[in-house]
C-alpha cells in the first residue's frame, strides 16, 4: 500500500490508533498534535499516515502518566536525547511500581498462607517442614529494650526500606537456640522484618568468618541483612500469652531429642493471626527452628 499523499479523516485516524476522535480534537485545540490539513470545503480535520509515529509517542507518554504540559514541552524540543531522558525517568518510575506491586502480591500471599495454616493446623502437633532461604532485616534488642524503642527501630527500618505501611511486611522475633537450651526464654536478641522484595540472589549470601577464608552458613549479615537458612525446620505453635512459651519450647526439645534432631541458630517466632482476633488469649505464635544436618 502506497501511503504517500494519503489523508485520513479524523474518524479513520482515531480508529487506527484506538482512541476517540474527541481526543484528537482536544489535542488540536491545545496545540499538542495538529492535523496535517483542514478541508477548506467543510472544515474537517485530515491526518497524514506519517503522523502516526508522533501520535503513538504522545499516547505512550500519556499511558506512562506524563502530564500534558510535559509532553508539550517535549514536543517543542523534540529530539532523541530529550526522549531518552524522559523515557529513562519513566522506566525508573515503572520499575518502582512493578516492584511495589510484586511486594503487595507477596504480602497478600503470606497472609493467605497464614490463613491456610490457621484453618488446617493442629496446635498440639510438632512437625518438620522444609523452608526456602530468605532475607530478613533485623534490629538488635535485649532485655533492657523498651517497647517504645522497639517500635521506633521498626519504624526506622520500614522507612529505610521504603515500605508504605507496617503491614507491607511480616514481623517477628528471634532468640538463639543456646539461650533456650539454658532456659533463658526471655533473652531475645533480634526483631526481624521480612520484606517481600528482598530475595536471595540480590546480594551476597555468604560473608567471610573471622578472616579464616571460611563462610558462615547459619548467620550471615550483609548490609544489615540476616539470612535465614533454607532447609528443614521444626515447626510448632503456641496459643495464648507468653507465659506459656517455656512449656512449648520444652515440648519442642523433647520432640527433637526423641527423634535424634539437633537444633541450631535461632528460633524464629511470628504471630500468624493478629488480623482476625481481638483477645491475647487467642493469639497464636508460629515457632520455627532450623535442624542441623
Amino acid at each position: 500500500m502506497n501511503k504517500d499523499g494519503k489523508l485520513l479523516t479524523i474518524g479513520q485516524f482515531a480508529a487506527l490508533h484506538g482512541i476517540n476522535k474527541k481526543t484528537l480534537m482536544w489535542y488540536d485545540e491545545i496545540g499538542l498534535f495538529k492535523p496535517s490539513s483542514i478541508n477548506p470545503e467543510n472544515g474537517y480535520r485530515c491526518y497524514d499516515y506519517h503522523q502516526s509515529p508522533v501520535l503513538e509517542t504522545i499516547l505512550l507518554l500519556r499511558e506512562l502518566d506524563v502530564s500534558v504540559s510535559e509532553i508539550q514541552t517535549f514536543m517543542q524540543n523534540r529530539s532523541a536525547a530529550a526522549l531518552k531522558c524522559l523515557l529513562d525517568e519513566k522506566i525508573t518510575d515503572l520499575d518502582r511500581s512493578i516492584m511495589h506491586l510484586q511486594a503487595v502480591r507477596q504480602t497478600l500471599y503470606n497472609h493467605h498462607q497464614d490463613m491456610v495454616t490457621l484453618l488446617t493446623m493442629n496446635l498440639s502437633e510438632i512437625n518438620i517442614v522444609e523452608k526456602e532461604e530468605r532475607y530478613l532485616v533485623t534490629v538488635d534488642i535485649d532485655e533492657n529494650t523498651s517497647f517504645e524503642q522497639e517500635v521506633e527501630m521498626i519504624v526506622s527500618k520500614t522507612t529505610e526500606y521504603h515500605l508504605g505501611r507496617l503491614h507491607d511486611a511480616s514481623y517477628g522475633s528471634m532468640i538463639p537456640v543456646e539461650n533456650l537450651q539454658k532456659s533463658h526464654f526471655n533473652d531475645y536478641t533480634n526483631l526481624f522484618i521480612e520484606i517481600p522484595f528482598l530475595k536471595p540472589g540480590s546480594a551476597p549470601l555468604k560473608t567471610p568468618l573471622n578472616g579464616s577464608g571460611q563462610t558462615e552458613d547459619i548467620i550471615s549479615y550483609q548490609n544489615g541483612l540476616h539470612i535465614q537458612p533454607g532447609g528443614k525446620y521444626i515447626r510448632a505453635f503456641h496459643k495464648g500469652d507468653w507465659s506459656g512459651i517455656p512449656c512449648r519450647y520444652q515440648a519442642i526439645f523433647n520432640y527433637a531429642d526423641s527423634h535424634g534432631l539437633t537444633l541450631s541458630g535461632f528460633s524464629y517466632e511470628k504471630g500468624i493471626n493478629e488480623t482476625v482476633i481481638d483477645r491475647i488469649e487467642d493469639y497464636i505464635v508460629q515457632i520455627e527452628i532450623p535442624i542441623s544436618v
Side-chain angles (χ1 to χ4, degrees):
M1 175 181 176
N2 181 10
K3 306 178 185 68
D4 292 336
K6 300 291 185 180
L7 294 179
L8 302 172
T9 66
I10 188 171
Q12 292 172 325
F13 199 67
L16 181 64
H17 293 279
I19 60 175
N20 192 299
K21 65 181 182 180
K22 290 184 178 179
T23 300
L24 287 174
M25 295 170 65
W26 181 53
Y27 285 171
D28 182 15
E29 291 169 3
I30 64 175
L32 179 60
F33 183 76
K34 290 190 167 295
S36 173
S37 63
I38 303 292
N39 189 315
E41 297 180 0
N42 52 28
Y44 290 171
R45 297 171 174 86
C46 298
Y47 293 84
D48 189 320
Y49 179 85
H50 295 290
Q51 291 181 278
S52 288
V54 177
L55 179 60
E56 282 298 324
T57 300
I58 293 173
L59 296 177
L60 172 62
L61 295 176
R62 289 296 292 145
E63 190 172 342
L64 294 173
D65 291 327
V66 180
S67 69
V68 171
S69 61
E70 285 182 281
I71 298 176
Q72 286 176 318
T73 300
F74 163 71
M75 294 298 291
Q76 292 166 4
N77 303 278
R78 192 152 50 105
S79 68
L83 182 58
K84 178 185 179 300
C85 182
L86 189 56
L87 292 179
D88 282 343
E89 178 184 337
K90 295 308 170 182
I91 288 172
T92 299
D93 290 343
L94 188 59
D95 286 343
R96 188 179 297 115
S97 296
I98 290 172
M99 187 173 68
H100 172 69
L101 289 174
Q102 289 175 334
V104 169
R105 187 187 188 284
Q106 185 62 47
T107 298
L108 293 176
Y109 178 79
N110 291 342
H111 286 314
H112 180 270
Q113 288 300 102
D114 287 344
M115 296 306 103
V116 170
T117 299
L118 284 172
L119 293 171
T120 58
M121 69 192 301
N122 182 336
L123 283 172
S124 64
E125 286 186 352
I126 298 175
N127 298 310
I128 306 297
V129 297
E130 190 82 23
K131 291 182 65 67
E132 293 183 355
E133 184 177 75
R134 63 175 181 167
Y135 283 168
L136 303 176
V137 176
T138 61
V139 295
D140 297 334
I141 60 171
D142 58 34
E143 59 184 8
N144 297 316
T145 307
S146 68
F147 176 73
E148 290 76 13
Q149 290 172 320
E150 291 180 0
V151 170
E152 183 178 331
M153 288 188 290
I154 288 293
V155 169
S156 174
K157 283 296 182 181
T158 54
T159 300
E160 179 181 339
Y161 284 88
H162 306 289
L163 293 175
R165 300 185 310 276
L166 287 177
H167 283 287
D168 283 346
S170 298
Y171 301 83
S173 54
M174 297 162 53
I175 182 168
V177 169
E178 60 181 330
N179 290 1
L180 295 171
Q181 292 169 334
K182 297 174 183 177
S183 298
H184 297 165
F185 298 106
N186 294 318
D187 287 356
Y188 292 86
T189 57
N190 299 91
L191 301 177
F192 71 78
I193 311 168
E194 183 183 6
I195 297 178
F197 51 78
L198 290 179
K199 299 293 183 183
S202 61
L205 298 182
K206 305 294 181 184
T207 55
L209 181 60
N210 298 327
S212 63
Q214 298 178 335
T215 58
E216 192 168 13
D217 294 324
I218 300 300
I219 308 169
S220 179
Y221 289 90
Q222 178 71 25
N223 297 327
L225 298 182
H226 166 76
I227 295 178
Q228 181 180 356
K232 295 186 182 300
Y233 280 68
I234 280 187
R235 174 185 287 174
F237 301 93
H238 168 70
K239 183 177 181 180
D241 63 37
W242 268 256
S243 63
I245 283 280
C247 291
R248 196 58 178 149
Y249 273 117
Q250 190 56 59
I252 291 171
F253 289 135
N254 291 342
Y255 178 92
D257 289 342
S258 65
H259 290 77
L261 304 175
T262 301
L263 306 181
S264 64
F266 290 92
S267 172
Y268 300 87
E269 298 180 4
K270 183 183 75 167
I272 63 171
N273 66 336
E274 300 103 319
T275 58
V276 294
I277 63 167
D278 296 315
R279 306 184 311 154
I280 188 63
E281 293 84 358
D282 297 322
Y283 188 77
I284 297 176
V285 176
Q286 176 180 276
I287 300 169
E288 295 180 332
I289 308 176
I291 299 171
S292 292
V293 178

